[in-house]
Amino acid sequence: MRILILLTLAAGALAGLQTWRIGGLTDEADQAQRFIGTLSAGIESRDNAIHRLNNEAVTRERQEQSLRTQLSQAGQRARDREYKIQRLLNENQEMRDWYSARLPDGIGRMHARPAFASAADYLRWLSGGDELPDTGKFTRH
């Protein structure tokens, strides 16, 4: 009978020990789940940052291509303008004399470039070829 009581107590102690170990393992599993959740959130955040950076890189590439195109167009306009000036100078002596003459100070100030907000504004101004107003006509100033 004593052996039966000792075996029952030993079985109860063993069951209690196993219950305690299972409780500890459950806590460890909960901690592991929380850790996995934290890591998953970090990975998701990293993936979002990578996606955003890739989108920004694509946008910058498009902007760079646009700027390169504008630069190429500006260069072509400048070359066209120089060719036109050279052609006009080669056509007649009167034009060469006029071109080589120094402008009066007042006219030189009128040719000063205005401030530009962007490169596109400068290109429009440069390629516009606006002529000076006729000094024989009255203006509305």
Side-chain angles (χ1 to χ4, degrees):
M1 178 78 127
R2 280 185 186 205
I3 294 179
L4 191 58
I5 293 174
L6 284 175
L7 285 177
T8 305
L9 286 174
L14 191 58
L17 179 63
Q18 290 300 328
T19 303
W20 177 73
R21 286 182 61 197
I22 289 173
L25 290 175
T26 303
D27 289 342
E28 286 180 24
D30 290 342
Q31 287 176 348
Q33 285 296 340
R34 284 192 297 273
F35 186 67
I36 288 171
T38 302
L39 290 177
S40 295
I43 290 170
E44 184 177 343
S45 174
R46 183 208 59 198
D47 289 346
N48 288 339
I50 290 171
H51 182 68
R52 181 179 45 81
L53 291 172
N54 283 337
N55 287 341
E56 288 176 7
V58 168
T59 301
R60 284 193 181 109
E61 284 180 29
R62 288 182 188 143
Q63 290 172 341
E64 180 182 352
Q65 183 60 38
S66 174
L67 289 174
R68 287 182 189 277
T69 301
Q70 289 178 5
L71 180 62
S72 173
Q73 291 170 349
Q76 184 60 44
R77 286 186 201 124
R79 283 188 297 278
D80 291 347
R81 189 172 188 219
E82 282 299 316
Y83 292 146
K84 182 179 179 181
I85 290 171
Q86 194 60 45
R87 184 177 45 82
L88 290 172
L89 290 175
N90 290 337
E91 284 179 0
N92 63 38
Q93 182 64 36
E94 184 181 336
M95 182 65 79
R96 284 190 294 271
D97 293 342
W98 174 84
Y99 185 76
S100 62
R102 185 176 183 276
L103 291 175
D105 290 337
I107 300 297
R109 285 191 302 273
M110 290 175 67
H111 279 277
R113 293 180 179 171
F116 300 104
S118 69
D121 291 344
Y122 175 72
L123 291 176
R124 275 194 292 281
W125 175 82
L126 184 64
S127 64
D130 295 334
E131 297 179 11
L132 294 173
D134 186 358
T135 56
K137 296 180 183 176
F138 292 100
T139 60
R140 296 184 183 186
H141 293 285

